[in-house]
Amino acid sequence: MKKKLRSTDWFGKDDKMGFVHRSWLRNQGYPDDYFRGRPVIGICNTWSELTPCNAHLRDFAEVVKKGVLEAGGFPLEFPVSSLGETIMRPSTMLFRNLASMDTEEAIRANPLDGIVLLTGCDKTTPSTLMGACSVDLPTIVVPGGPMLNGRFKGECLGSGSFNWMVKEKMLVENYTPEDILEAEIGVARSAGHCMTMGTASSMACMVEALGLTLPGAAAIPAVDSRKKLMAQLSGRRIVEMVKEDLKLSRILVREAFENAIMVNAAVGGSTNFIIHLLAIAGRIGVNLKLDEFDHIGSKIPLLLNLKPSGKYLMEDFFYAGGLPVIIKELHQYLYNEVITVNGKMIGENNTKAACYNTDVIASIDKPLQENAGIAVLRGNLCEEGSIIKPSAASKELMKHRGPAVVFETMEDYHARIDEPDLHIDENSVIVLKNVGPVGYPGMPEVGNVDLPEKLLRKGVKDMIRISDGRMSGTAAGTVILHVSPESAVGGTLALVKNGDIIELDVEKRKLHLDISEEELQKRKAEWTPPEPVASRGYVKIYIDHVQQAHLGADFDNLRGGSGADVTRDLH
Ligand code: FES
């Protein structure tokens, strides 16, 4: 029997409320048949001029609408909170859960049968998907696409990746302010999100690997006409998905999450992938654990030669064949029989993928690196875990013992890192506290702090840095992140003192603070928590409810879902 459309509860009634629901919408000129049995498709738009990476999504919504209308649906676009990575302070991560709540409630409260998520910049994908999962309607994602390759001094320039080198370029390579200005303009030369394998690109690959986009969507540049084609076809497809009742929970099964972990390893994806995938799994009811990212992902070889792990950029990835090639190459590892939004299995979708440049996408027989993925470290310094991305780290630092140089806060780091008499050398381990979910608050992307000026001048390129914060997916280095529990809630990180010896052994997955148990317990007993950073408003709600990084930093009361039913009517 055909399932009744959810929107019928609003538009299908011939009573007073049916009149009200239809009448006011008619002010936009919709004909009567739009309200009589057409699937209503919500186009959830993260467009904003304050989110430069998503500034083109208004146009995309119009294209999606075309597809919805062609397939017999009724498209209604609505805005949700948009999180612009490069502009919002103190950190977009502080607002990811807020944006997810906005999306969840907007979907549930309105007469929608199916959802198209228009996403782009880093947090706009996980936030909207988390919200959509908690409602669980048929949903398709249209990733907005990367910018064209940056160009500067005749070479390709990766967005994000260059800004981490500005200090070094000015100090060591004598770049002038004019050079930097030229780079500033040349790096962002079209609509779209960062074109390195940063978090936005990793999120686009994640949703494609989860089966939530039409095949091949992730890598298409934002300004390529094929992106619009993908948007239009997605508009058509969501109408069919509603008829098939192909909702998120049918696609987001455990195997789909494992596929996404493997694909993220093969593309050298962002460390932020972990925190977002954990949160998404928590919403849809899949029990995913931090250690599984290591167990599942670390056996996977690195196949994609993209910055920051490699050489190329997303435009090159698209021309080389895009994510379908990676999925095909991983055939022997993946769960190929997992349904995707087009109604076909993920393996079936990608069997015909062809690689056009093996320097960009390596084959499974000749990978760029064996055993990629993200390593999860354990030890007394991170009892609930911490992570490192080996493909972006320096081999010679993967096993290291060195004295800690401790910074209590980001402000403390900025005030002292370039002091000429700071006791620090290339063997030191930089420890940054109070940048976790509760401590900052909002767990900013600061874990890859710049090295001290005096060491950069000496030619030092990398040092071990440890923090409870995150790192931009566009950054690289031997950087240990997401230390859990964080320092602000009394994790061992809070107890580290200058000169303590820290031992890292990535192969053994070990991160150890080399002090006696007796001394550790003494410091624990003496520790007092920092003053709470907020006493009211959303930030207070955030620090009261945010979970630690190893749980995805979602709110404790947002895990799971409430479904699509609205128990009380509008009267
Ligand atoms: Fe938006 Fe990088 S700043 S994707």
Side-chain angles (χ1 to χ4, degrees):
M1 201 180 71
K2 215 171 122 193
K3 201 178 166 221
K4 187 181 121 188
L5 289 173
R6 182 174 179 266
S7 56
T8 309
D9 273 346
W10 278 260
F11 299 143
K13 292 180 180 166
D14 288 321
D15 58 6
K16 179 185 83 175
M17 290 320 297
F19 173 91
V20 170
H21 295 316
R22 291 186 300 271
S23 176
W24 267 260
L25 267 174
R26 286 183 194 275
N27 75 350
Q28 294 171 77
Y30 299 120
D32 191 56
D33 67 281
Y34 275 41
F35 301 100
R36 308 290 177 187
R38 285 193 183 218
V40 181
I41 305 301
I43 301 171
C44 173
N45 203 343
T46 54
W47 166 86
S48 166
E49 288 178 344
L50 287 167
T51 307
C53 308
N54 296 22
H56 59 302
L57 295 184
R58 267 243 159 118
D59 292 350
F60 274 37
E62 295 306 317
V63 181
V64 174
K65 283 179 200 169
K66 226 180 3 168
V68 171
L69 287 167
E70 284 164 353
F74 176 11
L76 288 167
E77 182 189 354
F78 64 99
V80 290
S81 302
S82 184
L83 308 177
E85 200 63 32
T86 51
I87 293 190
M88 289 185 87
R89 293 178 179 177
S91 161
T92 49
M93 187 63 187
L94 179 62
F95 308 109
R96 184 200 65 179
N97 299 345
L98 179 66
S100 79
M101 290 164 79
D102 179 10
T103 305
E104 174 182 345
E105 302 303 336
I107 293 174
R108 187 179 298 111
N110 283 297
L112 305 174
D113 301 302
I115 304 296
V116 180
L117 301 177
L118 294 185
T119 70
C121 198
D122 297 11
K123 307 297 179 298
T124 57
T125 304
S127 63
T128 51
L129 185 53
M130 286 160 68
C133 282
S134 291
V135 189
D136 195 18
L137 289 174
T139 300
I140 194 167
V141 184
V142 177
M147 290 187 261
L148 296 176
N149 290 356
R151 301 290 300 179
F152 174 57
K153 291 186 183 285
E155 288 182 16
C156 278
L157 194 63
S159 54
S161 298
F162 184 83
N163 28 304
W164 308 119
M165 298 184 290
V166 167
K167 181 175 174 185
E168 188 184 331
K169 294 276 180 201
M170 293 186 88
L171 284 173
V172 183
E173 295 181 33
N174 298 322
Y175 272 37
T176 63
E178 290 73 30
D179 290 329
I180 300 295
L181 177 63
E182 204 185 313
E184 190 178 307
I185 299 166
V187 76
R189 45 184 280 269
S190 82
H193 59 68
C194 292
M195 80 309 262
T196 45
M197 187 46 74
T199 303
S201 301
S202 302
M203 290 295 98
C205 291
M206 176 190 80
V207 283
E208 185 169 337
L210 286 169
L212 296 176
T213 71
L214 292 181
I220 309 173
V223 294
D224 193 299
S225 58
R226 285 162 283 191
K227 197 72 182 187
K228 283 196 170 158
L229 177 62
M230 189 67 73
Q232 185 167 344
L233 294 177
S234 300
R236 287 187 191 173
R237 178 60 198 153
I238 186 65
V239 178
E240 298 307 313
M241 286 173 68
V242 170
K243 291 177 187 161
E244 295 161 16
D245 198 25
L246 185 51
K247 32 188 205 180
L248 279 169
S249 55
R250 284 181 57 199
I251 296 171
L252 292 179
V253 294
R254 166 165 260 286
E255 290 80 4
F257 283 89
E258 295 197 18
N259 282 346
I261 292 172
M262 291 186 260
V263 167
N264 190 63
V267 300
S270 162
T271 48
N272 289 316
F273 165 84
I274 295 181
I275 211 152
H276 299 318
L277 198 73
L278 282 167
I280 294 162
R283 295 296 186 98
I284 204 75
V286 168
N287 185 16
L288 201 59
K289 298 262 186 272
L290 177 64
D291 289 308
E292 292 182 89
F293 286 80
D294 198 337
H295 298 155
I296 297 166
S298 291
K299 63 180 185 219
I300 301 297
L302 180 69
L303 300 181
L304 188 58
N305 192 3
L306 240 65
K307 290 175 193 292
S309 299
K311 176 170 149 195
Y312 294 99
L313 294 166
M314 285 298 280
E315 198 182 334
D316 308 305
F317 182 28
F318 175 56
Y319 301 147
L323 201 67
V325 179
I326 299 275
I327 292 173
K328 186 181 171 196
E329 288 293 322
L330 291 179
H331 192 264
Q332 67 198 79
Y333 295 100
L334 297 181
Y335 293 98
N336 295 293
E337 298 297 310
V338 182
I339 198 166
T340 69
V341 285
N342 70 353
K344 296 186 183 153
M345 303 299 154
I346 191 154
E348 183 189 355
N349 275 339
N350 297 292
T351 44
K352 292 198 180 128
C355 178
Y356 303 113
N357 187 340
T358 51
D359 200 35
V360 178
I361 310 175
S363 72
I364 200 84
D365 304 325
K366 280 193 191 163
L368 294 160
Q369 181 192 316
E370 295 289 355
N371 307 325
I374 289 162
V376 175
L377 307 173
R378 294 274 173 179
N380 67 351
L381 196 44
C382 53
E383 283 158 336
E384 297 289 357
S386 64
I387 60 161
I388 183 168
K389 183 175 171 183
S391 63
S394 303
K395 281 196 179 55
E396 63 279 11
L397 289 172
M398 303 287 260
K399 186 169 174 168
H400 184 85
R401 271 174 71 85
V405 176
V406 178
F407 298 95
E408 294 297 327
T409 62
M410 245 348 254
E411 290 73 20
D412 180 31
Y413 161 83
H414 283 302
R416 295 193 296 116
I417 188 67
D418 287 329
E419 276 181 2
D421 54 355
L422 181 70
H423 198 59
I424 191 166
D425 65 23
E426 53 270 48
N427 295 314
S428 304
V429 175
I430 296 176
V431 173
L432 179 60
K433 301 180 185 176
N434 290 305
V435 292
V438 175
Y440 196 71
M443 209 183 173
E445 293 181 334
V446 294
N448 55 311
V449 285
D450 288 340
L451 307 188
E453 194 174 318
K454 63 182 176 188
L455 295 183
L456 285 174
R457 285 191 193 281
K458 254 177 77 180
V460 177
K461 296 265 183 218
D462 194 11
M463 288 171 69
I464 295 176
R465 287 153 276 177
I466 302 176
S467 77
D468 42 17
R470 296 178 302 118
M471 169 171 91
S472 164
T474 60
T478 312
V479 185
I480 296 156
L481 304 155
H482 307 191
V483 167
S484 182
E486 64 174 296
S487 51
V489 301
T492 308
L493 190 69
L495 313 175
V496 182
K497 292 185 176 174
N498 278 321
D500 285 348
I501 297 298
I502 291 178
E503 188 185 340
L504 169 69
D505 189 334
V506 176
E507 201 183 326
K508 291 191 175 145
R509 303 297 194 254
K510 181 179 172 189
L511 182 65
H512 180 71
L513 177 65
D514 198 3
I515 59 173
S516 69
E517 187 55 30
E518 195 187 358
E519 173 65 15
L520 192 62
Q521 292 310 326
K522 183 171 158 271
R523 290 187 196 179
K524 253 186 198 162
E526 287 167 3
W527 181 78
T528 50
E531 283 293 306
V533 289
S535 59
R536 67 163 296 282
Y538 170 71
V539 181
K540 172 82 168 97
I541 295 171
Y542 181 91
I543 57 178
D544 286 349
H545 289 282
V546 72
Q547 296 179 299
Q548 289 294 290
H550 69 282
L551 297 171
D554 199 2
F555 288 173
D556 50 8
N557 57 353
L558 284 178
R559 280 177 82 85
S562 309
D565 291 342
V566 188
T567 47
R568 305 296 299 270
D569 210 344
L570 172 69
H571 292 280

